[in-house]
């Protein structure tokens, strides 16, 4: 990453690897180097997902939702090799709150649904209002 830069490196996967090793500080540092806020949100959400132990399946190819298949595979492997580690909700919420405060906030919704399920309905309501307003223009 030092030579190729965050744009051309699998930074989200690297952040998840740090999380799997229990190094939240390194995971945050790595994810924070991503200049694009949407990609940064995806990385932060991937780390939050790891800390909540939300299962993830590797993707066989290109995902229409533009989820990075390599990161998904690393997430799956990280959970597989750390099954005895306990979920860390507090750390997950820390990463999730950072993800939700970017323009890529929607990447955090699956984690938000696990961490705070009651928050999903208000998010849906807000989204519907904005969608209707955009259609009315």
């Amino acid at each position: 990453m030092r030579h190729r830069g965050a744009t051309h490196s699998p930074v989200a996967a690297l952040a998840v690897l740090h999380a799997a090793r229990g190094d939240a500080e390194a995971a945050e540092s790595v994810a924070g180097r991503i200049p694009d806020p949407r990609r940064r949100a995806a990385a932060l959400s991937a780390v939050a997902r790891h800390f909540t132990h939300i299962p993830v399946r590797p993707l066989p190819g290109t995902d229409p939702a533009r989820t990075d298949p390599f990161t998904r595979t690393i997430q799956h492997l990280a959970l597989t090799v750390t099954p005895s580690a306990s979920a860390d909700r507090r750390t997950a919420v820390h990463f999730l709150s950072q993800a939700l405060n970017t323009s890529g906030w929607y990447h955090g919704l699956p984690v938000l649904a696990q961490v705070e399920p009651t928050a999903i309905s208000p998010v849906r309501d807000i989204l519907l209002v904005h969608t209707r307003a955009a259609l009315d223009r």
Side-chain angles (χ1 to χ4, degrees), residues 97-111:
S97 66
Q98 289 183 57
L100 292 174
N101 283 305
T102 70
S103 57
W105 59 271
Y106 49 87
H107 287 287
L109 291 179
V111 180

Side-chain angles (χ1 to χ4, degrees), residues 6-133:
T7 306
H8 303 290
S9 299
V11 182
L14 181 58
V16 171
L17 287 175
H18 282 295
R21 294 182 62 221
D23 192 346
E25 189 176 305
E28 186 171 5
S29 173
V30 167
R33 293 180 190 168
I34 301 172
D36 176 46
R38 288 179 181 89
R39 288 186 62 222
R40 187 176 338 107
L44 292 165
S45 297
V47 171
R49 187 179 193 118
H50 177 78
F51 281 117
T52 56
H53 287 202
I54 299 171
V56 62
R57 291 188 205 156
L59 295 172
T62 305
D63 178 25
R66 293 194 170 93
T67 303
D68 176 17
F70 182 70
T71 300
R72 292 284 300 240
T73 301
I74 294 299
Q75 286 177 286
H76 173 75
L77 292 172
L79 285 176
T80 301
V81 298
T82 59
S84 61
S86 59
D88 185 347
R89 186 180 192 276
R90 185 174 174 203
T91 303
V93 167
H94 172 74
F95 281 92
L96 177 60
S97 66
Q98 289 183 57
L100 292 174
N101 283 305
T102 70
S103 57
W105 59 271
Y106 49 87
H107 287 287
L109 291 179
V111 180
L112 182 63
Q114 291 292 320
V115 173
E116 194 61 50
T118 58
I120 295 300
S121 291
V123 170
R124 182 200 65 221
D125 295 343
I126 292 168
L127 183 62
L128 289 174
V129 167
H130 285 285
T131 303
R132 288 182 188 133

